[in-house]
Amino acid sequence: MNDNAYAIWLSFSNEDDDYLKKIIDKIAEKYHAPKFEPHVTVYGLIDSKIEYVDRVVKEISWNCRSFRVKKSKILQSEELWKTVYIELEMNKQFKTIHKDLKEHFENIAKYEFNPHISLIYKILSPEEKTRIINELKIKNEFTINKLGIQKFSPDIEKWQIVKKYDLL
């Protein structure tokens, strides 16, 4: 993976972003894990020039409206990127955005889209993950109103949003 890897993120309304950020920061502090911005990765690790990625994302954002997403459940996995996460219900908007991105990026990167909001990135024991889940009380719906481009780094704390487009 070279230095030109980007992920396409869906981001939340200011209110929901603040709400999720507090949860992520609290867990990160307690478990000495990196802090990061709340997001849903709708397409991952596209190894391409930013100009191309930006053109595609900007065009797709023009055709999108903000939308509500529903929590399905809070889960854990062995995968670092899904240590503890909020699984979201798949909906029409998620499917459309992912399909539009796939049409442009499938030849560069394959990405299996399972909508979720990660709450921590750290290898933890199943017991620790269960403890985190049991301590969480998370609301049932969130508003997504931005589509952005994140510059990937293996170091989570070096992740940065390079472009963000508001959905109408």
Side-chain angles (χ1 to χ4, degrees):
M1 184 65 52
N2 77 20
D3 291 339
N4 293 327
Y6 299 95
I8 311 304
W9 282 8
L10 290 164
S11 304
F12 303 93
S13 66
N14 291 343
E15 182 187 325
D16 286 343
D17 190 68
D18 291 345
Y19 173 86
L20 289 163
K21 185 97 180 93
K22 283 188 182 98
I23 294 167
I24 290 168
D25 288 353
K26 188 174 171 190
I27 297 170
E29 283 168 21
K30 185 170 180 178
Y31 290 90
H32 308 290
K35 294 180 180 182
F36 55 91
E37 295 301 313
H39 65 279
V40 175
T41 302
V42 70
Y43 212 94
L45 296 198
I46 302 154
D47 196 349
S48 183
K49 294 202 177 323
I50 184 62
E51 295 78 11
Y52 174 64
V53 176
D54 183 40
R55 193 169 65 239
V56 169
V57 170
K58 185 190 293 182
E59 189 179 301
I60 289 170
S61 73
W62 289 337
N63 300 315
C64 288
R65 301 209 169 281
S66 60
F67 60 99
R68 305 278 292 161
V69 295
K70 287 185 170 41
K71 173 180 82 177
S72 167
K73 45 187 158 321
I74 302 173
L75 298 170
Q76 59 166 296
S77 81
E78 293 299 305
E79 200 184 322
L80 175 66
W81 306 119
K82 283 184 162 181
T83 307
V84 173
Y85 61 98
I86 303 167
E87 182 180 71
L88 300 171
E89 291 178 10
M90 182 61 85
N91 63 26
K92 195 170 95 290
Q93 294 95 329
F94 275 149
K95 285 181 181 161
T96 301
I97 293 168
H98 178 72
K99 183 179 75 62
D100 291 349
L101 290 166
K102 189 174 174 178
E103 283 172 12
H104 292 277
F105 298 130
E106 192 175 32
N107 58 341
I108 303 169
K110 304 272 183 259
Y111 186 72
E112 187 79 29
F113 178 49
N114 299 303
H116 68 279
I117 305 165
S118 293
L119 299 175
I120 181 172
Y121 296 130
K122 185 168 183 164
I123 302 301
L124 298 169
S125 71
E127 297 75 27
E128 286 175 304
K129 292 185 271 195
T130 300
R131 193 173 314 122
I132 291 171
I133 291 169
N134 290 339
E135 289 173 1
L136 288 170
K137 301 259 184 297
I138 293 187
K139 66 184 191 169
N140 291 317
E141 285 194 349
F142 304 94
T143 298
I144 287 183
N145 68 358
K146 293 175 203 74
L147 187 61
I149 303 168
Q150 175 250 5
K151 188 164 185 7
F152 182 79
S153 165
D155 179 349
I156 294 162
E157 296 189 320
K158 289 192 174 136
W159 286 359
Q160 64 187 115
I161 304 292
V162 290
K163 291 277 183 161
K164 216 178 230 186
Y165 295 100
D166 290 327
L167 305 180
L168 300 173

